[in-house]
Amino acid sequence: MPYLCVPEIFLDANATTPVLPEIFEVMQNVCCSQYGNPSSSHLAGTKPKKILADTRTAAAELFNVNDGRFIFNSGATEGINTAVLSALAPYTGSEQTRKCLLYGATEHKAVPEALKHWNQVLGLKAQLLEIPTNQFGELDLEFIEKNLSKALMLCTMGANNETGVVQNLEEVNSLLNHSSKVPWLVDSVQVLGKVPLDLGKLAIDYATFSAHKLYGPKGTGCLFVRDSAPYTPLQQGGGQECGERGGTENMAGIAALGRIFQWLKAPGTSPFQDMNQLLAYRDQILSALRHLFPDLVLNQPYPGSLPTTLNFAVPGFDSSQLIAMFDAAGIRVSAGSACSKGRPQSFVLKAMGLPSWQCEGAIRLSFGPASSPEFIQQVTQRIEEMAKRRNATATPTNNELWVPDPFALGFAGFADNVNKTLYYAGDILQVEQYLQQRFSNSEWQLTKLEAGKHEFGDFFFKIADANHFTIGHNYTGNALAFTSGGVVITEKQCEDVEIISAEEVIRRNFVLIDVRERLEFTMQSLTDTEYSVIESERHDWCRLALSYTHDKATEAAITVCRSGGRSLKAAALIHAASRAKVYSCSDGATDIFQLLAEK
Amino acid sequence: MPYLCVPEIFLDANATTPVLPEIFEVMQNVCCSQYGNPSSSHLAGTKPKKILADTRTAAAELFNVNDGRFIFNSGATEGINTAVLSALAPYTGSEQTRKCLLYGATEHKAVPEALKHWNQVLGLKAQLLEIPTNQFGELDLEFIEKNLSKALMLCTMGANNETGVVQNLEEVNSLLNHSSKVPWLVDSVQVLGKVPLDLGKLAIDYATFSAHKLYGPKGTGCLFVRDSAPYTPLQQGGGQECGERGGTENMAGIAALGRIFQWLKAPGTSPFQDMNQLLAYRDQILSALRHLFPDLVLNQPYPGSLPTTLNFAVPGFDSSQLIAMFDAAGIRVSAGSACSKGRPQSFVLKAMGLPSWQCEGAIRLSFGPASSPEFIQQVTQRIEEMAKRRNATATPTNNELWVPDPFALGFAGFADNVNKTLYYAGDILQVEQYLQQRFSNSEWQLTKLEAGKHEFGDFFFKIADANHFTIGHNYTGNALAFTSGGVVITEKQCEDVEIISAEEVIRRNFVLIDVRERLEFTMQSLTDTEYSVIESERHDWCRLALSYTHDKATEAAITVCRSGGRSLKAAALIHAASRAKVYSCSDGATDIFQLLAEK
């Protein structure tokens, strides 16, 4: 029986895409056969030179423009930095405190970061001014109009990477004074292949493109520059790109870009689906998602946004929980821009004025325009299976020993399920968000433990003061000391854990300690394999660590999680409590399933 | 019988290299299977993240350094620009007219270009100061020492791309004051894989690398930055590379780089040959070259230079003639840096004080360190065959009508081979260099034609004044008018020529008019094919054009050259003189041979 998580279903096309086989063939030719340097005078330079020229011609035709040039580069971020430098370099060293740099509040972070950077490097001190958007993510045109006269540069985007909101560039265009024009950059990364862009009609000065958002390789793209726009190279070298961008050209990437432009010019012959088909795909996926999450809320105008992008939130879940859940089911989705991970909230959704919980719980699901109907069917089937599994799972009861996050929070509790009382040590304010979910005020009584020793079944709590306590197990003798920041596990203790790869795991006879969360177990349970498995969520890790005894007669145990991070910590915790040697898997459960599926 | 020019022998490894199959496999995995964005939080980001970390670790181990970082980028030019910006950005907007930017006279042009660029963009007005070299290409250490205290930056290179001269970096290192240090950039592109580089021993602040010089793809590389060195990003974006270089990482390129670093760390397991083997290869090739050119002169210290690089000149030939000759024989060599083509002289050799003719005639021949003995044997065999062909060719006699360059020079002559007199029209001073070769003063008498009409066999000269004359043919009635700049052929006349691809040529029954030069015919003659062929060197094009008649009964004729440039001009000239339709091949003779070989 196939495991749910295999094969991987990649639904993060707005972050990146695989290279299509037809495009990879083009790259192979350029890497291995026609590998000459286009700057060479000998014959091996001829074909690469022609690839450059042909790709440029295709771009000019595709975007309907003849008064500008396409400069090949390493991708949109380089393009953005080049455009910003070009617009700002003329003011180097002269303070521009009364001037502003205008950019949309929902721009990709690369835009404000580049503006901030060059504003500082060139010593301009211009004001960075964010153009607000309405709840639909549309730019405030009046704001632009009001501030345009003092702007050194205007930066907007064609379509938003997180929400798929398509900006009305013609309206922005109509605001510009075409005689004394503010340089206008349009981040066009997400429109490529999804929304037509007519550079002949719009007075855009700079437009940026990346190949890897449309089945090309990462690290390549191009920048359109209008002939009338100021230009300063970001890198000078051996005179490539007419002296406008030094460095040997990324030929494989440019050839791939050429293939993509050719396809876009002749839609009938390309693997790209038409708009209506893409809209229908998105409807199908959304409908399956509503079975999985009946209370799903969309974070985007629908259907009036990029047909390949869905952005939603689910009450009660934050992004990382949902990502982990989808990951366990073999579906890769993101919390927004791949480049802004780690940020607690989506700034894009925040700028649109969405409620906090939607910004914190946002999930972006995006597919490429070359998706086949079969692929979309796989997607919906997988989501329907997730819904089935979720519905079949009973609500878990509260474990008795409850330590929501032993590494971050100085808190441990013991739940008396009969008297509905949670006895606890440490700072309860730290765990408020966890409490809401498990021990609601209306049902549970919370009782703080006084200094001294308290016994609860096999466990005991020894309270020293508000910030120091120990929990332990009467029979194993295991114990863990807490400070206000939780259990202290040193780097050394983590380094001491022996790491084993997934390949090694499936060759040996480990007991697997799955240290992920309930949502993940539900979608992908290691109990479906031949191994002995212990499932232990984070709030249960301390109970496991305190009860753990190392019996030399039994098999060795190894912690497993999603990708080797949590498992390492859990193994160190078990060792700290019990002195027992527990291995940690450097890979994750998905790798184990993958290897088992290949066997 | 195989044609001499097929298969291509690529001897321009200092310009670029093919991607090796083992490396391409690594790229394929990253492009088509593990294609996730390393910034992604979901599982598809895990493997790419590991590739980044592993490649960085391999680099640190290979270069023996732990107090700096390796930042992945689009190649050495980006690295150079980043280093220059980093060193200079702290001075933005404050004039540094008393300070200098020190760089070696033989640096790759990217270095002075980047220095010039950022010096100007940042408004520094520092002096660009070239460090002279001796005749062996070694930097003048006293000069460095003398100027170091006023330098904002010092740029040197590990090994020179044109001559293979290896710089003594330890000597440079010993000059640096390690307490108040001038930022030091070392262009390390050509040392990678050829000379060991110990960043643990040398106080280098920035070192640049490109993957495509060692069998990786173009458009990828990395910059080493010492932790103590100033740093300013060249591009800011989504926080990649710890916020030091924005933009989605070129994963295929970085994975390739990782493979290369791994190989270099474990030489026994890699396809790279050891130093002695490479030196022996070079000796073998040089010995074959001396059979082809007995009077060859080396432009480099030998053997004390990169073992994979040969740089030489041959009296009587300029670089472009030799490149064309090698091209015709299927060997790709260059005149120096691929990035400085079009320059009449090698500035590197000039800086070393070599005579003009050596700088103008320099040929660089370079092979990669993974070359097999079989490949080197093919190379020497091919060169020996070239020598055989050259020796078998009789010195051409002077054609009667002689027009050395009808498109550039207002000059036409008629050689009376009996009386050893060259009758001519136009400015003889323009053609001095051509005269030396064909009509030496000691043997030939030069007679300028007076105004009026003069007949020579079938041809006539009608002289109007010093700058205007016509030459024509009595029987065909064809004629060509000359001004001081030669025959005027308009763009329109060139556009009117019908272009045919090599593929089309071999499907039809054209008469081929080969309009290349003698050296090229010698190495690669279209008469070896099944086609009717007319060979016509440039100085003979006018004779051909004037004699040409279009006979509808005969086959169509097409001009062919090396790559479609000369053939177009020659076809337009023939049409201008004769009104006959002559096609031009958009590709070159090598393409025709290639297609015939594949048939």
Side-chain angles (χ1 to χ4, degrees):
Chain A
M1 198 196 76
Y3 301 109
L4 185 67
C5 61
V6 178
E8 173 179 284
I9 291 180
F10 189 80
L11 289 180
D12 198 14
N14 286 13
T16 197
T17 51
V19 175
L20 288 185
E22 297 92 323
I23 293 178
F24 197 70
E25 248 175 57
V26 170
M27 292 172 64
Q28 181 160 26
N29 178 46
V30 161
C31 284
C32 304
S33 302
Q34 297 183 348
Y35 52 79
N37 187 323
S39 296
S40 288
S41 314
H42 53 68
L43 277 180
T46 313
K47 295 275 159 56
K49 222 171 290 172
K50 190 167 175 327
I51 291 170
L52 293 180
D54 289 350
T55 303
R56 251 186 269 276
T57 305
E61 287 172 7
L62 174 63
F63 298 111
N64 182 37
V65 67
N66 54 24
D67 62 342
R69 56 247 191 239
F70 289 86
I71 300 170
F72 299 119
N73 61 19
S74 67
T77 299
E78 181 180 334
I80 290 166
N81 280 268
T82 308
V84 170
L85 175 66
S86 295
L88 304 189
Y91 307 98
T92 303
S94 80
E95 292 197 359
Q96 302 286 323
T97 46
R98 289 177 175 190
K99 296 286 186 174
C100 71
L101 306 171
L102 264 182
Y103 64 96
T106 59
E107 293 299 301
H108 186 285
K109 274 295 173 211
V111 168
E113 290 297 322
L115 287 170
K116 205 173 95 188
H117 182 63
W118 290 106
N119 189 38
Q120 188 263 317
V121 171
L122 302 177
L124 307 194
K125 299 190 177 167
Q127 181 197 0
L128 267 82
L129 197 55
E130 212 175 77
I131 308 161
T133 72
N134 62 16
Q135 59 182 311
F136 309 112
E138 296 162 343
L139 293 172
D140 183 336
L141 297 175
E142 279 177 32
F143 186 93
I144 298 178
E145 202 166 14
K146 208 179 94 192
N147 292 288
L148 203 55
S149 63
K150 60 169 184 168
L152 296 179
M153 184 172 200
L154 169 66
C155 305
T156 68
M157 73 200 309
N160 187 272
N161 51 319
E162 293 195 20
T163 59
V165 166
V166 179
Q167 216 52 245
N168 189 330
L169 296 176
E170 291 187 20
E171 284 180 352
V172 178
N173 190 60
S174 68
L175 299 178
L176 297 169
N177 176 343
H178 295 282
S179 54
S180 65
K181 207 169 147 291
V182 174
W184 181 22
L185 161 67
V186 174
D187 170 0
S188 308
V189 166
Q190 297 291 344
V191 300
L192 186 68
K194 298 164 195 164
V195 184
L197 180 68
D198 189 333
L199 292 171
K201 275 195 191 154
L202 300 168
I204 294 169
D205 293 294
Y206 312 102
T208 55
F209 303 92
S210 275
H212 79 104
K213 305 287 189 185
L214 203 69
Y215 306 108
K218 297 169 186 53
T220 194
C222 68
L223 170 68
F224 165 76
V225 181
R226 185 86 53 186
D227 288 337
S228 55
Y231 189 78
T232 295
L234 191 65
Q235 50 189 73
Q236 277 292 29
Q240 292 88 351
E241 299 286 306
C242 303
E244 296 197 315
R245 200 268 186 186
T248 299
E249 297 86 345
N250 181 335
M251 288 308 303
I254 293 167
L257 213 48
R259 192 77 208 78
I260 295 166
F261 290 154
Q262 292 289 358
W263 269 339
L264 292 175
K265 272 174 57 194
T269 65
S270 85
F272 301 135
Q273 306 287 344
D274 73 22
M275 190 66 72
N276 288 331
Q277 177 71 81
L278 297 174
L279 284 167
Y281 284 166
R282 187 170 63 163
D283 285 344
Q284 287 169 45
I285 296 174
L286 179 59
S287 146
L289 281 171
R290 289 204 194 273
H291 296 158
L292 175 58
F293 304 118
D295 46 357
L296 169 158
V297 175
L298 283 174
N299 295 330
Q300 66 185 155
Y302 193 94
S305 46
L306 279 189
T308 50
T309 303
L310 272 169
N311 194 315
F312 62 89
V314 183
F317 294 98
D318 66 26
S319 302
S320 61
Q321 288 174 309
L322 293 175
I323 289 175
M325 177 193 190
F326 276 104
D327 253 344
I331 299 183
R332 310 290 168 244
V333 300
S334 79
S337 162
C339 309
S340 62
K341 57 139 193 172
R343 290 203 182 82
Q345 286 204 339
S346 160
F347 71 91
V348 170
L349 301 181
K350 217 174 148 192
M352 287 163 65
L354 298 196
S356 280
W357 77 267
Q358 279 175 255
C359 303
E360 284 160 13
I363 288 295
R364 176 185 70 186
L365 186 157
S366 53
F367 52 91
S371 298
S372 66
E374 294 71 32
F375 173 73
I376 300 299
Q377 205 186 354
Q378 269 177 39
V379 172
T380 53
Q381 276 174 357
R382 184 79 62 97
I383 296 172
E384 297 290 3
E385 172 67 21
M386 289 173 74
K388 224 183 288 171
R389 291 190 181 211
R390 190 177 173 212
N391 293 334
T393 311
T395 315
T397 58
N398 289 316
N399 289 65
E400 298 195 321
L401 189 68
W402 183 69
V403 187
D405 194 345
F407 294 116
L409 308 174
F411 180 92
F414 188 89
D416 177 342
N417 280 305
V418 180
N419 298 314
K420 293 278 177 194
T421 304
L422 180 71
Y423 299 98
Y424 71 89
D427 181 4
I428 199 152
L429 293 176
Q430 287 188 339
V431 297
E432 254 180 322
Q433 54 162 325
Y434 297 94
L435 279 176
Q436 297 292 339
Q437 287 173 22
R438 296 197 162 260
F439 303 96
S440 74
N441 285 336
S442 55
E443 288 181 49
W444 286 77
Q445 196 184 326
L446 309 178
T447 303
K448 185 167 178 132
L449 296 170
E450 303 288 310
K453 190 170 178 183
H454 308 269
E455 306 239 354
F456 300 99
D458 297 343
F459 299 97
F460 63 82
F461 283 59
K462 254 194 217 149
I463 316 292
D465 58 47
N467 292 325
H468 296 86
F469 62 91
T470 299
I471 56 177
H473 191 283
N474 286 321
Y475 304 117
T476 61
N478 297 352
L480 288 166
F482 281 72
T483 66
S484 58
V487 178
V488 177
I489 299 282
T490 61
E491 256 180 55
K492 172 80 174 58
Q493 283 174 293
C494 283
E495 278 166 19
D496 284 348
V497 174
E498 193 169 332
I499 304 288
I500 300 278
S501 73
E503 284 186 8
E504 182 73 16
V505 168
I506 67 155
R507 277 202 299 270
R508 286 169 61 175
N509 215 0
F510 283 109
V511 171
L512 306 184
I513 304 175
D514 189 339
V515 297
R516 294 175 299 161
E517 298 301 301
R518 176 84 26 213
L519 280 174
E520 295 168 272
F521 303 152
T522 306
M523 296 303 155
Q524 180 191 52
S525 179
L526 285 164
T527 57
D528 291 345
T529 67
E530 68 213 76
Y531 299 97
S532 310
V533 176
I534 298 165
E535 290 186 343
S536 174
E537 296 186 84
R538 184 181 297 253
H539 68 74
D540 183 46
W541 289 358
C542 282
R543 191 200 55 74
L544 178 72
L546 294 173
S547 320
Y548 198 84
T549 53
H550 183 53
D551 178 355
K552 290 199 176 166
T554 64
E555 299 144 337
I558 185 162
T559 52
V560 178
C561 65
R562 192 177 66 130
S563 60
R566 282 175 285 180
S567 60
L568 181 64
K569 285 177 143 190
L573 184 77
I574 297 170
H575 182 75
S578 67
R579 300 290 130 198
K581 174 165 187 171
V582 175
Y583 297 84
S584 168
C585 178
S586 55
D587 307 303
T590 296
D591 297 291
I592 292 173
F593 281 105
Q594 185 79 48
L595 290 166
L596 291 174
E598 283 166 13
K599 267 220 294 207
Chain B
M1 199 195 76
Y3 301 109
L4 184 67
C5 60
V6 178
E8 173 179 284
I9 291 179
F10 189 80
L11 289 179
D12 198 13
N14 286 12
T16 197
T17 51
V19 175
L20 287 185
E22 298 92 323
I23 293 178
F24 197 70
E25 247 174 58
V26 170
M27 291 172 64
Q28 180 160 27
N29 178 47
V30 161
C31 284
C32 303
S33 301
Q34 297 183 349
Y35 52 79
N37 188 324
S39 296
S40 289
S41 314
H42 53 67
L43 277 180
T46 314
K47 295 275 159 56
K49 223 171 289 171
K50 191 166 174 328
I51 291 171
L52 293 180
D54 289 351
T55 303
R56 251 186 269 275
T57 305
E61 287 171 7
L62 174 63
F63 298 110
N64 181 38
V65 67
N66 55 24
D67 62 341
R69 57 244 191 241
F70 289 85
I71 300 171
F72 299 118
N73 60 21
S74 67
T77 299
E78 181 179 334
I80 290 166
N81 280 267
T82 308
V84 170
L85 175 66
S86 295
L88 303 190
Y91 307 98
T92 303
S94 80
E95 292 197 0
Q96 302 286 324
T97 46
R98 289 178 174 191
K99 295 287 186 173
C100 71
L101 306 171
L102 264 182
Y103 65 97
T106 59
E107 292 299 302
H108 186 284
K109 274 293 171 212
V111 168
E113 290 297 321
L115 288 170
K116 205 173 94 189
H117 182 63
W118 291 105
N119 189 38
Q120 188 262 317
V121 171
L122 302 176
L124 306 194
K125 299 191 178 167
Q127 182 198 357
L128 267 81
L129 197 56
E130 211 174 79
I131 307 160
T133 73
N134 62 16
Q135 59 182 311
F136 309 112
E138 296 162 343
L139 292 172
D140 182 337
L141 297 174
E142 278 178 34
F143 187 93
I144 298 178
E145 200 165 15
K146 208 179 93 192
N147 292 287
L148 203 56
S149 63
K150 61 169 183 168
L152 296 179
M153 184 171 201
L154 169 66
C155 305
T156 68
M157 74 200 307
N160 187 273
N161 50 319
E162 293 194 20
T163 59
V165 166
V166 179
Q167 216 52 245
N168 189 331
L169 296 176
E170 291 187 21
E171 284 181 351
V172 178
N173 190 60
S174 68
L175 299 177
L176 297 169
N177 177 344
H178 295 282
S179 54
S180 64
K181 207 171 147 292
V182 174
W184 181 21
L185 162 67
V186 175
D187 170 0
S188 308
V189 166
Q190 297 291 345
V191 300
L192 186 68
K194 299 163 195 165
V195 184
L197 180 68
D198 189 332
L199 292 171
K201 275 194 192 153
L202 300 168
I204 293 170
D205 292 294
Y206 313 101
T208 55
F209 303 92
S210 276
H212 78 105
K213 305 288 190 185
L214 203 68
Y215 306 107
K218 297 168 186 54
T220 194
C222 68
L223 170 69
F224 165 76
V225 181
R226 186 85 55 186
D227 288 338
S228 56
Y231 189 77
T232 295
L234 190 65
Q235 51 187 72
Q236 276 293 30
Q240 291 89 349
E241 299 287 305
C242 303
E244 296 197 316
R245 199 268 187 185
T248 300
E249 297 86 347
N250 181 337
M251 289 307 304
I254 293 166
L257 212 48
R259 192 77 209 76
I260 294 165
F261 290 154
Q262 292 290 355
W263 268 340
L264 291 175
K265 273 174 57 194
T269 65
S270 85
F272 301 135
Q273 307 286 345
D274 74 21
M275 191 66 71
N276 289 331
Q277 177 71 81
L278 297 174
L279 284 165
Y281 284 168
R282 187 170 63 161
D283 285 344
Q284 287 170 43
I285 296 173
L286 179 59
S287 148
L289 281 171
R290 290 204 193 273
H291 295 159
L292 174 58
F293 305 117
D295 46 357
L296 170 159
V297 176
L298 283 173
N299 295 330
Q300 67 185 156
Y302 194 94
S305 46
L306 280 188
T308 50
T309 303
L310 273 170
N311 194 316
F312 63 89
V314 183
F317 295 98
D318 65 27
S319 302
S320 61
Q321 287 173 310
L322 292 175
I323 289 175
M325 177 193 191
F326 276 104
D327 252 345
I331 299 183
R332 311 289 168 245
V333 300
S334 78
S337 163
C339 309
S340 63
K341 57 138 193 174
R343 292 203 181 83
Q345 286 205 337
S346 160
F347 72 90
V348 170
L349 301 181
K350 217 174 148 192
M352 287 162 65
L354 297 196
S356 281
W357 77 267
Q358 279 175 255
C359 304
E360 284 160 12
I363 288 294
R364 177 186 69 186
L365 188 157
S366 51
F367 52 90
S371 299
S372 66
E374 294 71 31
F375 172 73
I376 301 298
Q377 204 186 354
Q378 269 177 39
V379 172
T380 52
Q381 276 173 357
R382 184 80 62 99
I383 296 171
E384 297 289 3
E385 172 68 22
M386 288 173 74
K388 224 182 289 171
R389 291 190 181 212
R390 191 179 173 212
N391 292 334
T393 310
T395 314
T397 59
N398 288 316
N399 290 64
E400 298 194 321
L401 188 70
W402 182 69
V403 186
D405 194 344
F407 295 117
L409 308 174
F411 180 91
F414 188 89
D416 178 342
N417 280 306
V418 179
N419 298 315
K420 292 279 178 194
T421 303
L422 179 72
Y423 299 98
Y424 70 90
D427 181 4
I428 200 152
L429 292 176
Q430 287 187 337
V431 298
E432 254 180 321
Q433 54 162 326
Y434 298 94
L435 280 175
Q436 297 292 339
Q437 286 173 24
R438 296 197 161 260
F439 302 96
S440 75
N441 286 335
S442 56
E443 286 181 49
W444 285 78
Q445 196 185 325
L446 309 178
T447 303
K448 184 167 179 133
L449 296 169
E450 303 287 310
K453 190 170 178 182
H454 307 268
E455 307 240 354
F456 299 100
D458 298 343
F459 300 97
F460 65 81
F461 283 60
K462 254 194 216 148
I463 316 292
D465 59 49
N467 292 326
H468 297 87
F469 61 91
T470 300
I471 56 177
H473 192 282
N474 285 322
Y475 304 118
T476 62
N478 297 351
L480 288 166
F482 280 72
T483 66
S484 59
V487 177
V488 178
I489 298 283
T490 62
E491 255 181 55
K492 172 80 173 57
Q493 282 174 294
C494 284
E495 279 167 17
D496 284 347
V497 174
E498 193 169 333
I499 305 286
I500 300 277
S501 72
E503 283 187 9
E504 181 73 16
V505 168
I506 67 155
R507 276 203 298 271
R508 286 169 61 174
N509 215 1
F510 283 107
V511 172
L512 307 184
I513 304 175
D514 189 339
V515 297
R516 294 176 300 161
E517 297 302 300
R518 175 88 23 215
L519 279 174
E520 295 168 270
F521 303 153
T522 307
M523 296 303 155
Q524 180 191 52
S525 178
L526 285 164
T527 57
D528 291 346
T529 67
E530 68 212 78
Y531 299 96
S532 310
V533 176
I534 299 165
E535 289 185 345
S536 175
E537 296 185 85
R538 184 180 296 251
H539 67 74
D540 184 45
W541 289 358
C542 283
R543 190 200 56 74
L544 178 71
L546 293 174
S547 319
Y548 198 84
T549 53
H550 184 51
D551 178 355
K552 289 197 177 166
T554 64
E555 298 144 338
I558 185 162
T559 52
V560 178
C561 65
R562 192 178 66 130
S563 60
R566 282 175 284 180
S567 59
L568 181 65
K569 286 177 142 189
L573 185 77
I574 296 171
H575 182 76
S578 67
R579 301 289 130 196
K581 174 164 187 169
V582 175
Y583 297 83
S584 168
C585 179
S586 55
D587 307 303
T590 296
D591 297 291
I592 292 173
F593 282 104
Q594 186 80 49
L595 290 166
L596 291 174
E598 284 166 12
K599 267 219 293 204

